[in-house]
Amino acid sequence: MPRTLDPELRRELAARIRYYNEMGIYDFYRRPANTPETEMVANGDEQAAPVATASADPESPVFHSSIPQPEPREEMSRPKAAFASAPVAVEDNMFDMIAAKPEQSVSDPVKALRIIREDLGDCTRCPLHKQGRKQIVFGVGNPKAELMFVGEGPGADEDEQGEPFVGRAGQLLNNMIKAMGLQRTQVYIANVVKCRPPGNRTPEREECETCSPFLMRQIAVIKPKVVVALGAVAAKTLLAMSSSMAQLRGRFYDFKPAGVRASDPDWQGCKLAVTYHPAFLLRDPRQKGEAWKDLQMVMKELGLQATAGR
Ligand code: URA
């Protein structure tokens, strides 16, 4: 019978698993112990620091949106990820997190994403399911996108329409995508949490941790070249780092979705960049120039040309 883990222990285990995954270790086994407990065993050593660099020229911002939106939450406090220091007892669903996923045997990303969506089901895994959500907002776009954007969670418009970034922040994101020389249909867009937090509050850490494995699986299926984390919630969830936005922006991170193997064993992961959330840019348009620098860094990586006359 699985026991419920202490949330702190669960976090430490998740961080430990991420750490092993980053080193390419995915296979864990349960060692029968003298006690009824189960132990998680794997080999590993110190965590590698994220690698990165890239610079951007200081060209001015070009994406426009006229209507401010009261939504930006650029900073989110999050205790830094800790590592368990010894093999520990673990409940069954922690093993679910690291077990092979059904979509891994499917090469068609459309089908693979469908499998993840079906697995998500009519989700009741976190409190958001009973806090007024109308529907789950899974993600939208090209299942083979080279560029993927990750936001925080659906707002009222997204909850209504079942699609991420369709409100005012979405209009600005569309303009950002256009300015990069792309169309919305060419990229993939998803959120850390797939249900609307009531009153557009910032999702709780537990909500992010419960929902983000589905995002990780989406990324592993899509295998983008670059993921852009929009805002602090996305950045901190994906990177498991608690630094400020100022510290997180302006560089690339080597990124592999935690806890999952890509369906393609040749996919070595991708680059991840952090920029401001469009809702934050609506509130503070002076930061658009900084965001444009982040996007130019991404464009350079992807060989994209900015749209003329943006
Ligand atoms: N903000 C987000 O983070 N995601 C959305 O889908 C819409 C607004």
Side-chain angles (χ1 to χ4, degrees), residues 107-114 138-150 163-164 177 182-190 217-227 302 304:
S107 55
D108 177 356
V110 176
K111 285 189 190 144
L113 288 172
R114 203 175 297 140
F138 183 67
V140 72
N142 179 0
K144 296 182 180 176
E146 291 195 346
L147 176 58
M148 182 163 173
F149 289 93
V150 175
E163 182 172 329
I177 293 168
L182 291 170
Q183 292 169 0
R184 182 176 164 106
T185 51
Q186 292 177 283
V187 305
Y188 195 90
I189 306 172
R217 288 167 66 184
Q218 286 172 291
I219 298 172
V221 161
I222 294 162
K223 294 181 277 164
K225 287 187 178 158
V226 177
V227 171
L302 295 174
L304 295 170

CSV table of all heavy atoms in Angstrom, one decimal, residues 107-114 138-150 163-164 177 182-190 217-227 302 304:
chain,number,residue,atom,x,y,z
A,107,SER,N,5.9,7.0,-32.5
A,107,SER,CA,6.7,8.0,-33.2
A,107,SER,C,6.0,9.2,-33.7
A,107,SER,O,6.6,10.3,-33.9
A,107,SER,CB,7.5,7.3,-34.4
A,107,SER,OG,6.5,6.7,-35.2
A,108,ASP,N,4.7,9.1,-34.0
A,108,ASP,CA,3.9,10.2,-34.5
A,108,ASP,C,3.6,11.2,-33.3
A,108,ASP,O,2.9,10.8,-32.4
A,108,ASP,CB,2.6,9.7,-35.1
A,108,ASP,CG,1.7,10.8,-35.6
A,108,ASP,OD1,2.1,12.0,-35.4
A,108,ASP,OD2,0.7,10.5,-36.2
A,109,PRO,N,4.1,12.4,-33.4
A,109,PRO,CA,3.9,13.3,-32.2
A,109,PRO,C,2.5,13.7,-32.0
A,109,PRO,O,2.1,14.0,-30.9
A,109,PRO,CB,4.8,14.5,-32.6
A,109,PRO,CG,5.1,14.4,-34.0
A,109,PRO,CD,5.0,13.0,-34.4
A,110,VAL,N,1.7,13.6,-33.1
A,110,VAL,CA,0.2,14.0,-32.9
A,110,VAL,C,-0.4,12.9,-32.0
A,110,VAL,O,-1.1,13.2,-31.0
A,110,VAL,CB,-0.5,14.0,-34.2
A,110,VAL,CG1,-2.0,14.3,-34.1
A,110,VAL,CG2,0.1,15.1,-35.1
A,111,LYS,N,-0.1,11.6,-32.3
A,111,LYS,CA,-0.6,10.5,-31.5
A,111,LYS,C,-0.1,10.6,-30.1
A,111,LYS,O,-0.8,10.3,-29.2
A,111,LYS,CB,-0.3,9.2,-32.2
A,111,LYS,CG,-1.2,8.9,-33.4
A,111,LYS,CD,-0.9,7.5,-33.9
A,111,LYS,CE,-1.6,7.3,-35.3
A,111,LYS,NZ,-0.9,6.4,-36.2
A,112,ALA,N,1.2,10.8,-30.0
A,112,ALA,CA,1.9,10.9,-28.7
A,112,ALA,C,1.3,11.9,-27.8
A,112,ALA,O,1.0,11.7,-26.6
A,112,ALA,CB,3.4,11.1,-28.9
A,113,LEU,N,1.0,13.1,-28.4
A,113,LEU,CA,0.4,14.2,-27.6
A,113,LEU,C,-1.0,13.8,-27.2
A,113,LEU,O,-1.5,14.1,-26.1
A,113,LEU,CB,0.4,15.5,-28.4
A,113,LEU,CG,1.7,16.2,-28.5
A,113,LEU,CD1,1.6,17.4,-29.5
A,113,LEU,CD2,2.3,16.6,-27.2
A,114,ARG,N,-1.7,13.0,-28.1
A,114,ARG,CA,-3.1,12.6,-27.8
A,114,ARG,C,-3.0,11.6,-26.6
A,114,ARG,O,-3.9,11.7,-25.7
A,114,ARG,CB,-3.7,11.9,-29.0
A,114,ARG,CG,-5.2,11.9,-28.9
A,114,ARG,CD,-5.8,11.4,-30.2
A,114,ARG,NE,-5.5,12.1,-31.4
A,114,ARG,CZ,-5.2,11.6,-32.6
A,114,ARG,NH1,-5.2,10.3,-32.8
A,114,ARG,NH2,-5.0,12.4,-33.6
A,138,PHE,N,-4.8,22.3,-22.6
A,138,PHE,CA,-3.6,21.3,-22.8
A,138,PHE,C,-2.4,22.0,-23.5
A,138,PHE,O,-1.3,21.9,-23.0
A,138,PHE,CB,-4.1,20.1,-23.5
A,138,PHE,CG,-3.1,19.1,-23.7
A,138,PHE,CD1,-2.6,18.4,-22.6
A,138,PHE,CD2,-2.5,18.8,-25.0
A,138,PHE,CE1,-1.6,17.4,-22.8
A,138,PHE,CE2,-1.6,17.8,-25.1
A,138,PHE,CZ,-1.1,17.1,-24.0
A,139,GLY,N,-2.7,22.6,-24.6
A,139,GLY,CA,-1.6,23.1,-25.4
A,139,GLY,C,-2.0,23.2,-26.8
A,139,GLY,O,-3.0,22.6,-27.2
A,140,VAL,N,-1.3,24.0,-27.6
A,140,VAL,CA,-1.8,24.2,-29.0
A,140,VAL,C,-0.6,24.4,-29.9
A,140,VAL,O,0.4,25.0,-29.4
A,140,VAL,CB,-2.8,25.4,-29.1
A,140,VAL,CG1,-2.1,26.7,-28.9
A,140,VAL,CG2,-3.5,25.4,-30.4
A,141,GLY,N,-0.7,24.0,-31.2
A,141,GLY,CA,0.4,24.4,-32.1
A,141,GLY,C,0.9,23.2,-32.9
A,141,GLY,O,0.3,22.1,-32.9
A,142,ASN,N,2.1,23.4,-33.4
A,142,ASN,CA,2.7,22.4,-34.3
A,142,ASN,C,3.4,21.4,-33.4
A,142,ASN,O,4.3,21.7,-32.6
A,142,ASN,CB,3.8,23.2,-35.1
A,142,ASN,CG,4.6,22.3,-36.0
A,142,ASN,OD1,4.4,21.1,-36.0
A,142,ASN,ND2,5.5,22.8,-36.8
A,143,PRO,N,3.0,20.1,-33.5
A,143,PRO,CA,3.5,19.1,-32.7
A,143,PRO,C,5.0,18.8,-33.0
A,143,PRO,O,5.7,18.0,-32.3
A,143,PRO,CB,2.7,17.8,-33.0
A,143,PRO,CG,1.6,18.3,-33.9
A,143,PRO,CD,1.9,19.6,-34.5
A,144,LYS,N,5.5,19.4,-34.1
A,144,LYS,CA,6.9,19.2,-34.5
A,144,LYS,C,7.6,20.5,-34.4
A,144,LYS,O,8.6,20.8,-35.1
A,144,LYS,CB,7.1,18.6,-35.9
A,144,LYS,CG,6.5,17.2,-36.0
A,144,LYS,CD,6.8,16.7,-37.4
A,144,LYS,CE,6.2,15.3,-37.6
A,144,LYS,NZ,6.4,14.8,-38.9
A,145,ALA,N,7.1,21.4,-33.6
A,145,ALA,CA,7.7,22.8,-33.6
A,145,ALA,C,9.1,22.8,-33.1
A,145,ALA,O,9.5,22.1,-32.3
A,145,ALA,CB,6.8,23.7,-32.6
A,146,GLU,N,9.9,23.7,-33.8
A,146,GLU,CA,11.3,23.9,-33.3
A,146,GLU,C,11.3,24.9,-32.1
A,146,GLU,O,12.3,24.9,-31.4
A,146,GLU,CB,12.1,24.6,-34.5
A,146,GLU,CG,12.3,23.6,-35.6
A,146,GLU,CD,13.4,24.1,-36.6
A,146,GLU,OE1,13.8,25.2,-36.5
A,146,GLU,OE2,13.8,23.2,-37.4
A,147,LEU,N,10.2,25.6,-32.0
A,147,LEU,CA,10.2,26.6,-30.9
A,147,LEU,C,8.9,26.4,-30.1
A,147,LEU,O,7.8,26.3,-30.6
A,147,LEU,CB,10.2,28.0,-31.5
A,147,LEU,CG,10.0,29.2,-30.6
A,147,LEU,CD1,11.1,29.2,-29.5
A,147,LEU,CD2,10.0,30.5,-31.3
A,148,MET,N,9.1,26.4,-28.8
A,148,MET,CA,8.0,26.1,-27.9
A,148,MET,C,7.9,27.2,-26.8
A,148,MET,O,9.0,27.6,-26.3
A,148,MET,CB,8.1,24.8,-27.2
A,148,MET,CG,7.0,24.4,-26.3
A,148,MET,SD,7.0,22.6,-26.0
A,148,MET,CE,5.8,22.5,-24.8
A,149,PHE,N,6.8,27.8,-26.6
A,149,PHE,CA,6.6,28.8,-25.5
A,149,PHE,C,5.9,28.1,-24.3
A,149,PHE,O,4.9,27.4,-24.5
A,149,PHE,CB,5.8,30.0,-26.0
A,149,PHE,CG,6.6,30.8,-27.0
A,149,PHE,CD1,6.4,30.6,-28.3
A,149,PHE,CD2,7.4,31.8,-26.5
A,149,PHE,CE1,7.1,31.4,-29.2
A,149,PHE,CE2,8.1,32.6,-27.4
A,149,PHE,CZ,8.0,32.4,-28.8
A,150,VAL,N,6.3,28.4,-23.1
A,150,VAL,CA,5.7,27.9,-21.9
A,150,VAL,C,5.3,29.0,-21.0
A,150,VAL,O,6.1,29.8,-20.6
A,150,VAL,CB,6.6,26.9,-21.2
A,150,VAL,CG1,5.9,26.4,-19.9
A,150,VAL,CG2,6.9,25.7,-22.1
A,163,GLU,N,-7.8,27.1,-25.1
A,163,GLU,CA,-6.5,27.3,-25.8
A,163,GLU,C,-5.6,28.3,-25.0
A,163,GLU,O,-6.1,29.3,-24.6
A,163,GLU,CB,-6.8,27.8,-27.2
A,163,GLU,CG,-5.6,27.9,-28.0
A,163,GLU,CD,-5.9,28.3,-29.5
A,163,GLU,OE1,-7.0,27.8,-30.0
A,163,GLU,OE2,-5.1,28.9,-30.1
A,164,PRO,N,-4.3,28.0,-24.9
A,164,PRO,CA,-3.5,28.9,-24.2
A,164,PRO,C,-3.3,30.2,-25.0
A,164,PRO,O,-3.3,30.2,-26.2
A,164,PRO,CB,-2.1,28.2,-24.1
A,164,PRO,CG,-2.2,27.0,-24.9
A,164,PRO,CD,-3.6,26.8,-25.4
A,177,ILE,N,5.7,36.6,-31.6
A,177,ILE,CA,6.0,35.4,-32.5
A,177,ILE,C,6.1,36.0,-33.9
A,177,ILE,O,7.1,35.6,-34.7
A,177,ILE,CB,4.8,34.4,-32.4
A,177,ILE,CG1,4.9,33.7,-31.1
A,177,ILE,CG2,5.0,33.4,-33.6
A,177,ILE,CD1,3.6,32.9,-30.8
A,182,LEU,N,7.8,34.4,-37.5
A,182,LEU,CA,7.0,33.1,-37.4
A,182,LEU,C,5.5,33.4,-37.3
A,182,LEU,O,5.1,34.5,-37.0
A,182,LEU,CB,7.5,32.3,-36.2
A,182,LEU,CG,8.9,31.7,-36.2
A,182,LEU,CD1,9.2,31.1,-34.8
A,182,LEU,CD2,9.0,30.6,-37.3
A,183,GLN,N,4.8,32.3,-37.6
A,183,GLN,CA,3.3,32.4,-37.3
A,183,GLN,C,3.0,31.5,-36.1
A,183,GLN,O,3.7,30.6,-35.8
A,183,GLN,CB,2.6,31.8,-38.5
A,183,GLN,CG,2.7,32.7,-39.7
A,183,GLN,CD,2.2,32.0,-41.0
A,183,GLN,OE1,1.7,30.9,-40.9
A,183,GLN,NE2,2.2,32.7,-42.1
A,184,ARG,N,1.9,31.9,-35.4
A,184,ARG,CA,1.5,31.1,-34.2
A,184,ARG,C,1.4,29.6,-34.5
A,184,ARG,O,1.8,28.8,-33.6
A,184,ARG,CB,0.2,31.7,-33.7
A,184,ARG,CG,-0.3,31.1,-32.4
A,184,ARG,CD,-1.5,31.8,-31.9
A,184,ARG,NE,-2.3,31.0,-31.0
A,184,ARG,CZ,-2.3,31.3,-29.7
A,184,ARG,NH1,-1.6,32.3,-29.1
A,184,ARG,NH2,-3.0,30.5,-28.8
A,185,THR,N,0.9,29.3,-35.7
A,185,THR,CA,0.7,27.9,-36.0
A,185,THR,C,2.0,27.1,-36.1
A,185,THR,O,2.0,25.9,-36.2
A,185,THR,CB,-0.1,27.7,-37.3
A,185,THR,OG1,0.6,28.5,-38.3
A,185,THR,CG2,-1.5,28.1,-37.1
A,186,GLN,N,3.1,27.8,-36.3
A,186,GLN,CA,4.4,27.1,-36.4
A,186,GLN,C,5.1,26.8,-35.1
A,186,GLN,O,6.0,26.0,-35.1
A,186,GLN,CB,5.4,28.0,-37.2
A,186,GLN,CG,5.0,28.2,-38.7
A,186,GLN,CD,6.0,29.2,-39.4
A,186,GLN,OE1,5.9,30.4,-39.2
A,186,GLN,NE2,6.9,28.6,-40.1
A,187,VAL,N,4.6,27.4,-34.0
A,187,VAL,CA,5.2,27.1,-32.7
A,187,VAL,C,4.3,26.2,-31.9
A,187,VAL,O,3.1,26.0,-32.3
A,187,VAL,CB,5.6,28.4,-32.0
A,187,VAL,CG1,6.5,29.3,-32.8
A,187,VAL,CG2,4.3,29.2,-31.5
A,188,TYR,N,4.7,25.8,-30.7
A,188,TYR,CA,3.8,25.1,-29.8
A,188,TYR,C,3.7,25.9,-28.5
A,188,TYR,O,4.7,26.5,-28.1
A,188,TYR,CB,4.3,23.7,-29.5
A,188,TYR,CG,3.2,22.8,-28.9
A,188,TYR,CD1,2.3,22.1,-29.6
A,188,TYR,CD2,3.1,22.8,-27.5
A,188,TYR,CE1,1.3,21.3,-29.0
A,188,TYR,CE2,2.1,22.1,-26.9
A,188,TYR,CZ,1.2,21.3,-27.7
A,188,TYR,OH,0.2,20.5,-27.1
A,189,ILE,N,2.5,26.0,-28.0
A,189,ILE,CA,2.3,26.9,-26.8
A,189,ILE,C,1.6,26.1,-25.7
A,189,ILE,O,0.6,25.4,-26.0
A,189,ILE,CB,1.5,28.1,-27.1
A,189,ILE,CG1,2.1,28.9,-28.3
A,189,ILE,CG2,1.4,29.0,-25.9
A,189,ILE,CD1,1.2,30.0,-28.8
A,190,ALA,N,2.2,26.1,-24.5
A,190,ALA,CA,1.6,25.3,-23.4
A,190,ALA,C,1.8,26.1,-22.1
A,190,ALA,O,2.6,27.1,-22.1
A,190,ALA,CB,2.1,23.9,-23.3
A,217,ARG,N,6.4,15.9,-20.5
A,217,ARG,CA,6.1,14.9,-21.5
A,217,ARG,C,5.8,15.5,-22.8
A,217,ARG,O,6.2,15.0,-23.9
A,217,ARG,CB,5.0,14.0,-21.0
A,217,ARG,CG,5.4,13.1,-19.9
A,217,ARG,CD,4.2,12.4,-19.2
A,217,ARG,NE,3.5,11.5,-20.0
A,217,ARG,CZ,2.4,10.8,-19.6
A,217,ARG,NH1,1.9,11.0,-18.4
A,217,ARG,NH2,1.8,10.0,-20.5
A,218,GLN,N,5.1,16.6,-22.8
A,218,GLN,CA,4.8,17.3,-24.1
A,218,GLN,C,6.1,17.8,-24.7
A,218,GLN,O,6.3,17.6,-25.9
A,218,GLN,CB,3.9,18.6,-23.8
A,218,GLN,CG,2.5,18.2,-23.5
A,218,GLN,CD,1.7,19.5,-23.0
A,218,GLN,OE1,1.9,20.0,-22.0
A,218,GLN,NE2,0.8,19.9,-23.9
A,219,ILE,N,7.0,18.3,-23.9
A,219,ILE,CA,8.3,18.8,-24.5
A,219,ILE,C,9.1,17.6,-25.1
A,219,ILE,O,9.6,17.7,-26.2
A,219,ILE,CB,9.1,19.6,-23.4
A,219,ILE,CG1,8.3,20.8,-22.9
A,219,ILE,CG2,10.5,19.9,-24.0
A,219,ILE,CD1,9.0,21.5,-21.8
A,220,ALA,N,9.0,16.5,-24.4
A,220,ALA,CA,9.8,15.3,-24.8
A,220,ALA,C,9.2,14.8,-26.1
A,220,ALA,O,10.0,14.2,-26.9
A,220,ALA,CB,9.8,14.3,-23.7
A,221,VAL,N,8.0,14.9,-26.3
A,221,VAL,CA,7.3,14.5,-27.6
A,221,VAL,C,7.6,15.5,-28.7
A,221,VAL,O,8.0,15.1,-29.8
A,221,VAL,CB,5.8,14.3,-27.4
A,221,VAL,CG1,5.1,14.3,-28.8
A,221,VAL,CG2,5.5,13.0,-26.6
A,222,ILE,N,7.5,16.7,-28.5
A,222,ILE,CA,7.7,17.8,-29.5
A,222,ILE,C,9.1,17.9,-29.9
A,222,ILE,O,9.5,18.1,-31.0
A,222,ILE,CB,7.0,19.1,-29.0
A,222,ILE,CG1,5.5,18.9,-28.9
A,222,ILE,CG2,7.4,20.3,-30.0
A,222,ILE,CD1,4.9,20.0,-28.0
A,223,LYS,N,10.0,17.8,-28.9
A,223,LYS,CA,11.5,17.9,-29.1
A,223,LYS,C,11.8,19.2,-29.8
A,223,LYS,O,12.4,19.2,-30.9
A,223,LYS,CB,12.0,16.7,-30.0
A,223,LYS,CG,11.8,15.4,-29.2
A,223,LYS,CD,12.4,14.2,-30.1
A,223,LYS,CE,11.3,13.8,-31.0
A,223,LYS,NZ,11.5,13.0,-32.1
A,224,PRO,N,11.4,20.3,-29.3
A,224,PRO,CA,11.8,21.6,-29.9
A,224,PRO,C,13.3,21.8,-29.9
A,224,PRO,O,14.0,21.2,-29.1
A,224,PRO,CB,11.1,22.6,-29.0
A,224,PRO,CG,11.0,21.9,-27.7
A,224,PRO,CD,10.8,20.5,-27.9
A,225,LYS,N,13.7,22.7,-30.7
A,225,LYS,CA,15.2,23.1,-30.6
A,225,LYS,C,15.3,24.1,-29.4
A,225,LYS,O,16.4,24.2,-28.7
A,225,LYS,CB,15.6,23.8,-31.8
A,225,LYS,CG,15.8,22.8,-33.0
A,225,LYS,CD,16.5,23.4,-34.2
A,225,LYS,CE,16.7,22.4,-35.3
A,225,LYS,NZ,16.8,23.0,-36.6
A,226,VAL,N,14.3,25.0,-29.2
A,226,VAL,CA,14.3,26.0,-28.2
A,226,VAL,C,13.0,26.0,-27.4
A,226,VAL,O,11.9,26.0,-28.0
A,226,VAL,CB,14.7,27.4,-28.7
A,226,VAL,CG1,14.7,28.4,-27.6
A,226,VAL,CG2,16.0,27.4,-29.4
A,227,VAL,N,13.1,26.1,-26.1
A,227,VAL,CA,11.9,26.4,-25.3
A,227,VAL,C,12.1,27.8,-24.7
A,227,VAL,O,13.2,28.1,-24.2
A,227,VAL,CB,11.8,25.4,-24.1
A,227,VAL,CG1,10.7,25.8,-23.1
A,227,VAL,CG2,11.5,24.0,-24.6
A,302,LEU,N,17.9,29.8,-33.9
A,302,LEU,CA,17.0,29.1,-34.9
A,302,LEU,C,17.2,29.6,-36.3
A,302,LEU,O,16.6,29.1,-37.2
A,302,LEU,CB,15.6,29.3,-34.5
A,302,LEU,CG,15.1,28.7,-33.1
A,302,LEU,CD1,13.7,29.0,-32.8
A,302,LEU,CD2,15.3,27.2,-33.2
A,304,LEU,N,16.5,32.6,-37.6
A,304,LEU,CA,15.3,33.3,-38.0
A,304,LEU,C,15.6,34.7,-38.3
A,304,LEU,O,16.4,35.3,-37.6
A,304,LEU,CB,14.2,33.2,-36.9
A,304,LEU,CG,13.6,31.9,-36.6
A,304,LEU,CD1,12.7,32.0,-35.3
A,304,LEU,CD2,12.8,31.3,-37.7
